[in-house]
Amino acid sequence: MADMSWHSNSKMSDRSAVLDMDAIEPGTISSDRDSGLQDDYSSTFPSESPKGKRAAGGKSFGEDMRQRVGENVTQMMWQAGAQSARRAWNVYGNIDLLRPYFDVEPKEVQSRLVYSLVPMRPTDTRQEVPKELYGPTMVVLTLIALLLYQMKSADHRVEEGTLIGSAFAVCFMYWLGASALVWFVAYVCEVRIAILQILSMMGYALFGHCIVLFLGTVIHTSHDHMFFYLLWAVVGGLSTLRMAGIIMSRTRGSKQRLIVTGTIATLHLFFLLYLHFAYHTIVEEISDAFHQNFVPVPASVKIDVIAPSANVGPAT
Amino acid sequence: MAVLNPLKSAEHTIMQDTDLAGPLVFCLAFGGSLLLSGKLHFGYIYGIGLVGCLAMYCLLNLMSLNGVSAGIIVSVLGYCLLPMVFLSFSAVLLSLKGVVGLVLVIVTVMWCSVSASKLFVSALAMDSQQLLVAYPCALVYGVFALLTVF
């Protein structure tokens, strides 16, 4: 539909531009003039033919015509451009295009969240992936809120910008960027899946990340990452297997399946590692600093350190 | 009064007269109470409020049948900030980083989000989707609570 409107629009603009440019074509005008005097003015004069004795007055007339024609052409080009921009905005900037993808019920969202952690064995029949954006958007916003809470509690400081800006940038860039990359790889490997389904699938898979971050924040295990690695393997693995099952049910060819599922698994699991180690490690460094300051040096150790150096000094 | 009693059902005509004076007073009161705790966060309040209103405007226009105006969004979110003002005043007297503070924060955020979602749902006739409207409201008020606590 968008192509047709662009096509008709370009036709209209071509039509209007062609009409005006034809009126001032040098070839059609200069053929009626003497070449000596008229070559300089051939592009400016309309159908009329000024004579040689009017050269002085014709120059100002020609300049005037040139100016007017230039203004008219500029105005028409501006109007055509504004019209094209308005049509493009109506087609692409119309928020109503996304309306069908936000039409959900609470129970549907709940079941999709739960099933995002339940891998299903791939079969010949395609596993259904809903084209929905409400759930994934809310999951991403929840992830941002959890990251913000982690950054605040770790007293993370950002030099240029704000904590909210950093969290927004990280989470939305991952969701949209990773989905675009997966869509490209899926397109190359001939996976039968749409971009909205990929957005929905990757968005719901971030629910596992929210659970891991929440449990990691609530349950503090000092200086030990084993609990996080366990959650990373179990929860991250379940959501990755769920996505892998969906992709494998929609792809033919073992190499293609391997490429796409490998891409998804790498992006998904490394993002969780990044979220943990970029923001959680700060808590450990602060607690380490507190631990060193609060451990006093015993007095007997100080005396043993000073005494040997006092004996050696005078002898030399 | 509809904000202070989130469990009572609201009339659908309640949001026909929207005003921005109440929300502005509540934002200033919230900023003033944070100032009493030694936090100068007026800019953050206005920034988070603006982003939150914009996000709710986009979301509710996508979810509702007839669309919603920005004035209603700002008015509802602003009026439902009242419990958060109470929380920030209580932060002057006691620390919110303990268990008591956590419970107070959770209750306040739920109070704000249930009130706001009740008003939105009654104004836009979205009865079956109150939970879907309440959750993003809870996220917005949760960020305000983070400002209050930390």
Side-chain angles (χ1 to χ4, degrees), chain B residues 47-126:
Chain B
I48 293 166
L50 194 66
V51 172
C53 289
L54 195 64
M56 287 305 296
Y57 175 73
C58 292
L59 189 67
L60 289 177
N61 266 308
L62 289 167
M63 289 174 68
S64 66
L65 290 171
N66 299 325
V68 63
S69 70
I72 293 177
I73 304 286
V74 176
S75 185
V76 169
L77 289 178
Y79 272 110
C80 294
L81 196 62
L82 183 60
M84 201 59 63
V85 178
F86 297 152
L87 179 75
S88 62
F89 273 116
S90 68
V92 177
L93 301 170
L94 51 96
S95 169
L96 295 179
K97 292 187 182 177
V99 177
V100 173
L102 183 66
V103 170
L104 271 177
V105 164
I106 291 173
V107 166
T108 306
V109 169
M110 284 181 65
W111 184 1
C112 293
S113 56
V114 168
S115 303
S117 61
K118 182 191 67 175
L119 290 173
F120 280 133
V121 156
S122 58
L124 302 173
M126 294 165 60

Side-chain angles (χ1 to χ4, degrees), chain A residues 164, chain B residues 20-32 34 40-54 74 77-78 81 140 143-144 147:
Chain A
I164 292 182
Chain B
L20 298 181
L24 192 62
V25 165
F26 290 157
C27 284
L28 288 172
F30 184 52
L34 287 179
L40 193 62
H41 287 325
F42 284 97
Y44 281 117
I45 294 168
Y46 296 136
I48 293 166
L50 194 66
V51 172
C53 289
L54 195 64
V74 176
L77 289 178
L81 196 62
V140 173
V143 175
F144 279 113
L147 268 185

Side-chain angles (χ1 to χ4, degrees), chain A residues 147 165-175 271 274-275 279:
Chain A
L147 270 182
S166 308
F168 258 93
V170 165
C171 295
F172 272 102
M173 270 172 53
Y174 168 77
W175 180 40
F271 184 57
Y274 167 75
L275 287 179
Y279 303 110

Side-chain angles (χ1 to χ4, degrees), chain A residues 218-233:
Chain A
V218 164
I219 302 170
H220 291 287
T221 56
S222 56
H223 317 294
D224 188 8
H225 292 289
M226 282 313 295
F227 181 63
F228 164 73
Y229 284 128
L230 184 68
L231 286 176
W232 176 75

